[in-house]
Amino acid sequence: MNNWHPTSWQSKPALQQANYPSAKDLDAIMAQLSGLPPLVTSWEIETLKSELAAAARGEAFLLQGGDCAESFADCQSDIITNKLKILLQMSLVLIHGLSKRVIRVGRIAGQYAKPRSADIETVDGITLPSYRGDLINGSAFTEADRIPDPVRLLRGYGRAAMTLNFIRALSDCGFADLHHPENWDLDFVHHSPLANEYHQVVKELSHSLQFLETIGGGSDELNRIRFYSSHEGLHLHYEQALTRQVPNRPGYYNLATHLPWIGFRTAGLDGAHIEYFSGIKNPVGVKVGAGMSAENIGHLAERLNPDNEAGKLIFIHRFGAHKIANELPPLIEAVQQGGHQVLWISDPMHGNTESTKTGYKTRQFKYILSELEQAFDIHRSCNSHLGGVHFELTGDDVTECIGGARGLNEMGLGRAYRSQVDPRLNYEQALEIAMAIVRKEKV
Ligand code: PEP
Ligand code: CO
């Protein structure tokens, strides 16, 4: 893509963008944002790419998870640590059960922009722009909140930097020491129906670790963890401002996050998002869902991975438990026939969203699990390979998805339903899913 530039997307139709009242104000903010230091480095991005290539070969497993949307108000130490803890716990369960390295990627430190089905919302005769995430506007139904404000781009950058700073500090100290997994215990672990199973995993891992060190195989790696950030690259002005050239490496990197992905609604081949993503060096994800044609998926692979590089492109499929069996096999076949290098992962959340009669947006644990289990089986029977998973989850005790070990039912959703957007697995449901993956895939 010789003529590609971080601004090229502006000549294409861009869906799901903010409609700012003043172009001049946006330009002024863009000028500031473009001068601020990057949030991640090209070294980290290239390391992640090589780890993703290993996942595509079946030697590692990608665990990607976090909030549907982060809010600025949630940039707090306990909320961030709880998210980190549940992802670390899940990764321990997966490492132990799958005997593979686990690549941990949070939907964190920048997951502030959301696609919406309608541009506007009308309540009691008053019409205002829809809430598009804290990066763009506020959720309260007032004019002051809902009119998009570009100053929020700076605030989002700031929150992302604070979050990453905290994660980096934790990842490099005692908190992340594999010898002390008790640091990752969430309060619930002691009184959960899953406690025994989890503690058994931890005990066995500690023994393996001791064994490894006794024979001299320990390394610095065991005292720290790698943790990567990701977000939907939806708001293209924000992504553009953080897209930079670096010394000693050709091309442009999105230095706002390690792994940006393209949402299902903005994956049109002629659109601005594909144009932007086609030019950056980062590994990129793209959501693939019901209705995608075999022809289309081949074109997506060509546009997003023109050099057919390993670890560069992730297809995150999200069909729903009732559709995956019909929809996925032809896409796998098209990718195989085209010879495309791809890492396939399953997002069993976004095709399984429903609304209750009382108006809660929810997802049923049994359908999430069913889609995931089908995904493993379908890849296997097509001679392909599912190399990872993508979840909306939280380290807190929320009640947003129905089912799981504690049998949360529809009546219980009101107790702690906090999501402004999609329903997330709570800590216990998330851990249960990790255990279910292991039961399915244990070697
Ligand atoms: C999301 O991941 O939050 C999302 C909006 O997913 P999708 O683009 O698959 O609908
Ligand atoms: Co979502």
Side-chain angles (χ1 to χ4, degrees), residues 15-138:
L15 300 179
Q16 300 283 346
Q17 300 304 289
N19 197 357
Y20 292 109
S22 157
K24 204 166 121 269
D25 291 352
L26 174 62
D27 288 347
I29 297 290
M30 285 293 285
Q32 281 190 58
L33 204 51
S34 305
L36 290 170
L39 298 176
V40 301
T41 68
S42 64
W43 288 277
E44 294 165 340
I45 291 170
E46 290 298 333
T47 306
L48 173 61
K49 210 189 276 177
S50 62
E51 292 184 14
L52 294 172
R57 291 191 303 271
E59 295 160 16
F61 193 77
L62 171 60
L63 170 64
Q64 185 178 20
D67 287 318
C68 180
E70 289 177 277
S71 74
F72 289 175
D74 279 354
C75 185
Q76 296 177 29
S77 67
D78 53 345
I79 295 178
I80 298 167
T81 29
N82 281 357
K83 237 177 274 175
L84 215 52
K85 283 176 177 181
I86 186 61
L87 286 166
L88 288 172
Q89 290 195 347
M90 290 173 83
S91 71
L92 273 195
V93 170
L94 293 171
I95 291 168
H96 177 254
L98 305 181
S99 299
K100 281 181 189 172
R101 286 178 74 94
V102 169
I103 309 159
R104 306 174 190 93
V105 179
R107 288 173 63 115
I108 201 164
Q111 178 54 15
Y112 298 125
K114 294 308 296 174
R116 302 314 303 251
S117 42
D119 280 340
I120 50 171
E121 191 179 341
T122 302
V123 175
D124 295 337
I126 298 170
T127 298
L128 291 173
S130 297
Y131 171 58
R132 290 190 167 277
D134 282 5
L135 193 65
I136 288 100
N137 56 4

Side-chain angles (χ1 to χ4, degrees), residues 197-388:
E197 197 171 342
Y198 176 69
H199 282 124
Q200 189 58 30
V201 166
V202 168
K203 211 160 101 195
E204 286 176 23
L205 275 176
S206 298
H207 285 157
S208 312
L209 212 58
Q210 273 171 16
F211 173 71
L212 196 70
E213 288 175 337
T214 312
I215 60 165
S219 83
D220 254 12
E221 283 285 296
L222 301 173
N223 306 324
R224 39 206 285 278
I225 47 145
R226 282 223 182 103
F227 192 88
Y228 295 101
S229 75
S230 70
H231 66 245
E232 178 173 348
L234 183 68
H235 189 292
L236 292 173
H237 278 107
Y238 182 78
E239 307 304 330
Q240 175 195 313
L242 273 300
T243 301
R244 314 275 173 82
Q245 286 177 299
V246 298
N248 304 324
R249 282 197 169 107
Y252 285 89
Y253 285 82
N254 180 328
L255 298 178
T257 189
H258 301 107
L259 172 54
W261 80 84
I262 308 172
F264 186 55
R265 290 181 177 82
T266 47
L269 280 169
D270 299 324
H273 289 81
I274 297 291
E275 173 61 25
Y276 168 76
F277 275 78
S278 71
I280 54 175
K281 293 294 218 177
N282 306 56
V284 302
V286 57
K287 294 288 195 90
V288 169
M292 163 94 48
S293 71
E295 192 187 347
N296 213 24
I297 204 159
H299 290 316
L300 267 181
E302 281 156 19
R303 286 293 307 277
L304 295 173
N305 191 8
D307 298 328
N308 210 15
E309 203 184 340
K312 165 74 182 157
L313 178 60
I314 307 175
F315 282 144
I316 309 169
H317 53 70
R318 33 83 85 214
F319 297 105
H322 303 296
K323 295 192 176 156
I324 185 169
N326 283 333
E327 301 264 350
L328 180 57
L331 301 186
I332 296 177
E333 198 180 316
V335 165
Q336 286 169 334
Q337 284 188 352
H340 302 296
Q341 296 269 9
V342 163
L343 168 62
W344 291 100
I345 73 171
S346 164
D347 162 3
M349 311 297 291
H350 286 89
N352 292 308
T353 314
E354 54 187 275
S355 289
T356 65
K357 282 187 247 32
T358 44
Y360 284 110
K361 210 176 178 190
T362 190
R363 290 165 174 151
Q364 301 202 36
F365 189 87
K366 64 178 180 197
Y367 294 135
I368 295 169
L369 187 56
S370 162
E371 175 161 1
L372 197 55
E373 291 183 336
Q374 291 181 68
F376 279 109
D377 289 340
I378 293 168
H379 277 284
R380 190 167 294 119
S381 69
C382 293
N383 212 8
S384 170
H385 160 72
L386 188 73

Side-chain angles (χ1 to χ4, degrees), residues 410-430:
E410 209 174 310
M411 314 281 283
L413 288 179
R415 184 175 64 77
Y417 194 104
R418 295 204 207 114
S419 176
Q420 300 269 12
V421 272
D422 289 343
R424 301 159 294 177
L425 297 169
N426 62 28
Y427 52 60
E428 210 166 55
Q429 292 167 328

